[in-house]
């Protein structure tokens, strides 16, 4: 096989990030060299764009056979239980989020895989971390199972890189907003739901309070950051736990105001639930200078640009490009 040719396995390809990352990787590497996998049935947007296999990442033997059979050189592990769902099933969230990563890191070591991608989150930070411009290196005491699993996973990534030379890379994603695929079980999911409700019924009841500022990012920026990180020369990577990554911060009141500029009659109301406590434990803004210095990270979407693109693509508009 051409030594520069990559054979990529995306695990969790039917999730909010997985669908768009799989499509982006297939644009770069060609459809046949990106195998999409998930527990779920193939997402409609992936059909006809490349190979799809049903995979339970908790079955290490099955995963190992698949890696060998398909000559896999890179794995993107996106399967995870997110913050809100994790608080309802702590044991399951810890088991799935941790064991899936250990399986992938072990196989990467045994098979000498070229590169591994595993997403972390700003959820690794807790109430004792600085809430504004949270730095890459600071006090990290997560208070959710999801955050605990992501912080532990970061340590495993650093361990496998240092001890075994596994080239595993990671980003601490903020809340991600997209229109192509649904989010699932996250505390920041309100920022996706609000668009669908604004269009369908002109109103939305938010499960977070109006002034709950959180770090957020539009999915096209998150996908580009992931690909830029994975394409960076190894010599430029100085963070082997997980890079802080930032684009913008906004509150429910702020995004509602931005939507009202397009849908003047849109009304928001508030009924905070258990997810408010999760959100209150996270930073309000992130300092991502290491990502900018090491591999040139720079976001392209701010709140107005994201709102305009989301509404254009959701409101019956064309499938419009996200080229920026
Ligand atoms: C969640 N969307 O809400 C994820 C994300 C920063 C939040 O990790 O759990």
């Amino acid at each position: 096989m051409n030594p520069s040719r990559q054979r990529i396995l995306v695990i969790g390809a039917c999730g909010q990030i997985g669908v768009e990352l799989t499509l982006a990787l297939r644009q770069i590497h060609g459809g046949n060299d990106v195998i999409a996998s998930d527990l779920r049935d193939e997402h409609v947007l992936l059909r006809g764009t490349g190979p799809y296999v049903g995979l339970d990442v908790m079955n290490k033997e099955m995963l190992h056979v698949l890696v060998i059979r398909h000559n896999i050189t890179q794995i993107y592990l996106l399967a995870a239980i997110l913050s809100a769902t994790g608080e309802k099933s702590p044991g399951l969230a810890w088991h799935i989020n941790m064991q899936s990563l250990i399986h992938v890191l072990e196989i990467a070591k045994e098979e000498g895989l070229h590169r591994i991608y595993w997403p972390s989150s700003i959820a690794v930070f807790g109430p004792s971390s600085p809430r504004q411009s949270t730095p890459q290196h600071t006090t990290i005491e997560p208070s959710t199972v999801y955050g605990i699993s992501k912080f532990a996973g970061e340590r495993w990534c650093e361990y496998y890189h240092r001890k075994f030379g596994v080239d595993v890379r990671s980003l601490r994603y903020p809340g991600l907003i997209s229109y192509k695929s649904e989010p699932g079980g996250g505390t920041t999911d309100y920022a996706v739901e609000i668009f669908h409700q604004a269009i369908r019924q002109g109103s939305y009841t938010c499960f977070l309070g109006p002034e709950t500022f959180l770090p957020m990012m539009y999915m096209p920026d998150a996908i580009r950051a992931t690909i830029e990180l994975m394409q960076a020369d190894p010599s430029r990577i100085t963070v082997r736990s997980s890079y802080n990554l930032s684009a913008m911060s906004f509150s429910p009141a702020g995004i509602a105001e931005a939507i009202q500029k397009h849908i003047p009659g849109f009304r928001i109301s508030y009924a905070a639930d258990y997810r408010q406590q999760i959100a209150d434990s996270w930073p309000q803004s992130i300092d991502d200078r290491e990502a900018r210095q090491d591999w040139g990270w720079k976001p392209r979407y701010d709140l107005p640009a994201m709102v305009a693109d989301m509404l254009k693509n959701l409101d019956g508009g064309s499938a419009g490009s996200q080229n920026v």
Side-chain angles (χ1 to χ4, degrees), residues 82-84 121-123 146 173-175 185-189 282:
L82 300 186
S83 60
S121 163
I122 59 107
Y146 175 68
Y173 287 135
T187 300
T188 57
D189 292 0
W282 290 347

Side-chain angles (χ1 to χ4, degrees), residues 26-312:
R26 285 175 169 168
Q27 287 289 323
I28 297 166
H29 298 276
N32 285 331
D33 280 342
V34 181
I35 291 96
S37 71
D38 204 303
L39 265 179
R40 291 171 273 192
D41 293 339
E42 187 177 21
H43 192 283
V44 62
L45 290 179
L46 297 181
R47 284 184 202 145
T49 67
Y52 183 82
V53 293
L55 173 69
D56 176 357
V57 67
M58 302 305 281
N59 183 330
K60 187 185 175 189
E61 291 66 33
M62 180 181 177
L63 174 58
H64 205 157
V65 165
L66 194 155
V67 165
I68 293 168
R69 182 177 297 160
H70 290 275
N71 300 307
I72 297 300
T73 61
Q74 293 187 17
I75 297 177
Y76 289 70
L77 172 57
L78 304 172
I81 290 183
L82 300 186
S83 60
T85 305
E87 290 307 293
K88 293 178 178 172
S89 309
L92 182 67
W94 171 258
H95 178 57
I96 287 178
N97 293 1
M98 283 295 80
Q99 201 56 58
S100 60
L101 176 60
I102 297 295
H103 287 167
V104 168
L105 291 171
E106 271 296 296
I107 291 167
K109 180 183 77 169
E110 291 163 18
E111 300 300 330
L113 298 189
H114 179 243
R115 278 183 198 163
I116 302 297
Y117 181 75
W118 176 79
S120 184
S121 163
I122 59 107
V124 297
F125 298 109
S128 58
S129 309
R131 292 204 77 194
Q132 303 299 336
S133 302
T134 309
Q136 178 73 44
H137 303 290
T138 185
T139 305
I140 297 189
E141 296 173 327
S143 56
T144 63
V145 174
Y146 175 68
I148 293 165
S149 73
K150 287 301 183 182
F151 185 54
E154 292 184 2
R155 306 327 306 154
W156 278 117
C157 289
E158 199 169 54
Y159 181 88
Y160 269 79
H161 177 257
R162 187 176 69 251
K163 294 278 283 191
F164 310 118
V166 174
D167 188 347
V168 50
R169 304 180 185 193
S170 180
L171 295 170
R172 288 171 178 164
Y173 287 135
L176 299 181
I177 292 95
S178 61
Y179 62 88
K180 286 185 180 175
S181 51
E182 294 294 305
T187 300
T188 57
D189 292 0
Y190 89 87
V192 177
E193 293 171 3
I194 192 169
F195 286 99
H196 293 277
Q197 297 305 318
I199 291 166
R200 281 189 205 127
Q201 59 190 45
S203 64
Y204 178 63
T205 300
C206 185
F207 56 74
L208 298 180
E211 298 311 315
T212 308
F213 278 85
L214 288 170
M216 298 282 195
M217 182 175 286
Y218 195 28
M219 186 63 80
D221 270 344
I223 299 302
R224 181 170 53 83
T226 307
I227 289 168
E228 288 176 3
L229 171 66
M230 291 297 277
Q231 291 181 342
D233 187 280
S235 63
R236 300 183 64 186
I237 308 298
T238 66
V239 174
R240 286 293 179 172
S241 50
S242 187
Y243 276 96
N244 277 8
L245 190 73
S246 176
M248 57 181 131
S249 293
F250 56 76
S251 65
I255 192 171
E257 190 179 336
I259 291 172
Q260 282 160 349
K261 289 186 169 57
H262 298 263
I263 308 175
F266 172 64
R267 293 291 173 267
I268 188 169
S269 57
Y270 302 94
D273 66 15
Y274 73 102
R275 289 166 284 193
Q276 183 68 51
Q277 190 179 4
I278 296 172
D280 290 344
S281 73
W282 290 347
Q284 292 185 329
S285 62
I286 296 289
D287 177 341
D288 60 359
R289 71 184 65 192
E290 286 80 4
R292 295 170 189 254
Q293 289 163 4
D294 288 2
W295 42 275
W297 165 242
K298 186 172 174 27
R300 292 181 186 159
Y301 282 87
D302 60 8
L303 181 58
M306 178 187 74
V307 168
D309 198 68
M310 280 288 284
L311 291 174
K312 178 183 74 175

